[in-house]
Amino acid sequence: MTRKQITRYADAVDDHNPVHVNEDFAKAAGLPSVIAHGPLTVALALDAVVEQIGAARMRSAHARLSAPVFPGDELNVVSTDTGVEVRKADGTPVATITLIGDGV
């Protein structure tokens, strides 16, 4: 996850909550840095899934966020029995996405 991705997403959806875009605010809130928008994390994961299986096979997805994502975090999308899990490089799960579709 990069700061540029976070900033571009904030601009695209007009969500400039300071926890996402203001380093000083995020640190004052007890975070080590700004955090990525949850829907951005999910969108990036779904992009990876669609790249692998094709959009025609997916009908819907349900996501549950479980940990913040910070600039510099490397994310991995791992298959599960019901969809995918998004994990940081250290293995920390940040999102669980249940997929519904044809052969998904």
Side-chain angles (χ1 to χ4, degrees), residues 38-39 41-43 46 60-66 84 94-99:
T41 300
V42 173
L46 289 176
S60 66
H62 173 73
R64 183 173 186 178
L65 301 166
S66 53
V84 295
V94 298
T96 302
I97 305 172
T98 302
L99 302 173

Side-chain angles (χ1 to χ4, degrees), residues 34-89:
V34 295
I35 58 173
H37 302 74
L40 171 59
T41 300
V42 173
L44 292 173
L46 289 176
D47 280 350
V49 170
V50 167
E51 186 176 317
Q52 292 294 312
I53 68 168
R57 290 183 56 199
M58 274 188 44
R59 283 183 290 170
S60 66
H62 173 73
R64 183 173 186 178
L65 301 166
S66 53
V69 174
F70 301 101
D73 280 349
E74 179 183 324
L75 302 177
N76 299 298
V77 180
V78 179
S79 293
T80 67
D81 290 340
T82 59
V84 295
E85 186 172 75
V86 183
R87 299 178 188 160
K88 294 184 182 187

Side-chain angles (χ1 to χ4, degrees), residues 17-36:
N17 182 316
V19 76
H20 299 300
V21 297
N22 185 305
E23 187 78 19
D24 292 334
F25 181 91
K27 287 183 176 181
L31 299 165
S33 182
V34 295
I35 58 173

